[in-house]
């Protein structure tokens, strides 16, 4: 009963907080239904968080190692069958799907001091199969990297666009908003 009420609140949040039309400049879109649910379950995850990383030159390599370590640690590189629990994103699931692993990676990077504006969830379509998939985009300097549970390798977004079609991403400018493009990111 409580789960149904939470789902209904999340649906109302999606519908009521989105503009009646998408702005041409920002191309705002409705987030995946699971996103408001995780915002309710883990409110600190969907709030804007500042950059708390060390910013000296030597830390750039450290941040690259951090991305690779988290990506290879939080991974289940196998094909997962969609289930009815796909709408319940979880951090540190016992057994999960791409969404669970993407939000877990984001959680770990936020705890490591990365700013929320540099860590965006992105819904993509895998070109080879046509399946919808969730990945984490991480911006470091002028580069954008893709952390995917189907690969142990962190790759640049430019390379990943051969494998994926971007559907929508979190906005780097407004917490809890999703957009169709990554122009500003």
């Amino acid at each position: 009963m409580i789960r149904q009420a939470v789902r209904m609140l999340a649906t109302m949040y999606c519908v009521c907080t989105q503009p009646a039309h998408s702005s041409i400049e920002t191309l705002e879109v409705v987030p995946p239904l699971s996103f408001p649910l995780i915002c309710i379950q883990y409110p600190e995850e969907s709030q804007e968080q500042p950059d708390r990383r060390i910013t000296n030159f030597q830390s750039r390599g450290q941040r690259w190692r951090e991305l690779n370590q988290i990506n290879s640690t939080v991974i289940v590189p196998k094909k997962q069958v969609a289930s009815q629990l796909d709408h319940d994103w979880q951090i540190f699931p016992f057994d999960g799907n791409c969404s669970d692993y993407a939000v877990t990676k984001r959680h770990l990077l936020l705890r490591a001091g990365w700013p929320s504006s540099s860590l965006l969830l992105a819904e993509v379509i895998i070109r080879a199969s046509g399946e919808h998939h969730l990945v984490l985009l991480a911006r470091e300097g002028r580069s954008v990297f893709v952390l995917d549970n189907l690969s142990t390798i962190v790759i640049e977004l430019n390379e990943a666009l051969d494998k994926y079609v971007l559907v929508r991403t979190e906005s780097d400018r407004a917490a809890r908003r999703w957009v169709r493009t990554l122009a500003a990111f």
Side-chain angles (χ1 to χ4, degrees):
M1 181 90 163
I2 293 174
R3 266 182 126 61
Q4 289 174 334
V6 168
R7 285 189 188 115
M8 187 152 75
L9 284 171
T11 302
M12 289 181 352
Y13 168 83
C14 275
V15 173
C16 296
T17 62
Q18 298 303 313
H21 58 66
S22 291
S23 164
I24 293 174
E25 295 81 32
T26 60
L27 294 172
E28 285 188 15
V29 294
V30 174
L33 176 59
S34 305
F35 182 71
L37 289 172
I38 201 161
C39 290
I40 291 169
Q41 188 174 3
Y42 304 99
E44 67 284 352
E45 294 296 315
S46 58
Q47 295 172 352
E48 193 170 324
Q49 296 189 25
D51 193 344
R52 295 180 286 112
R53 300 172 294 174
I54 300 169
T55 56
N56 65 25
F57 181 74
Q58 294 175 339
S59 68
R60 188 169 212 129
Q62 178 184 355
R63 290 192 292 252
W64 173 248
R65 284 189 298 280
E66 196 170 46
L67 280 178
N68 281 290
Q69 186 219 359
I70 287 174
N71 188 60
S72 62
T73 302
V74 184
I75 191 167
V76 178
K78 61 183 179 183
K79 180 152 173 96
Q80 303 225 343
V81 179
S83 74
Q84 131 181 57
L85 298 176
D86 285 349
H87 63 271
D88 289 331
W89 296 355
Q90 298 177 21
I91 295 173
F92 299 117
F94 175 72
D95 186 24
N97 59 33
C98 61
S99 306
D100 300 322
Y101 297 111
V103 297
T104 299
K105 291 174 189 185
R106 185 176 190 277
H107 171 80
L108 290 171
L109 289 168
L110 285 170
R111 295 300 156 257
W114 288 66
S116 56
S117 62
S118 290
L119 302 170
L120 306 182
L121 297 171
E123 181 184 351
V124 299
I125 296 174
I126 301 172
R127 289 184 191 269
S129 65
E131 294 178 70
H132 283 253
H133 185 56
L134 198 73
V135 296
L136 179 65
L137 303 180
R139 181 181 62 212
E140 174 55 33
R142 292 183 179 189
S143 300
V144 178
F145 299 101
V146 178
L147 286 74
D148 184 351
N149 74 297
L150 298 177
S151 174
T152 56
I153 300 168
V154 174
I155 60 173
E156 284 201 53
L157 180 61
N158 294 344
E159 295 175 44
L161 292 177
D162 291 339
K163 291 174 39 176
Y164 308 124
V165 175
L166 280 172
V167 177
R168 56 188 165 179
T169 65
E170 282 184 275
S171 170
D172 62 329
R173 295 183 177 192
R176 299 185 183 208
R177 299 282 185 189
W178 282 64
V179 294
R180 179 128 358 247
T181 62
L182 277 175
F185 189 63

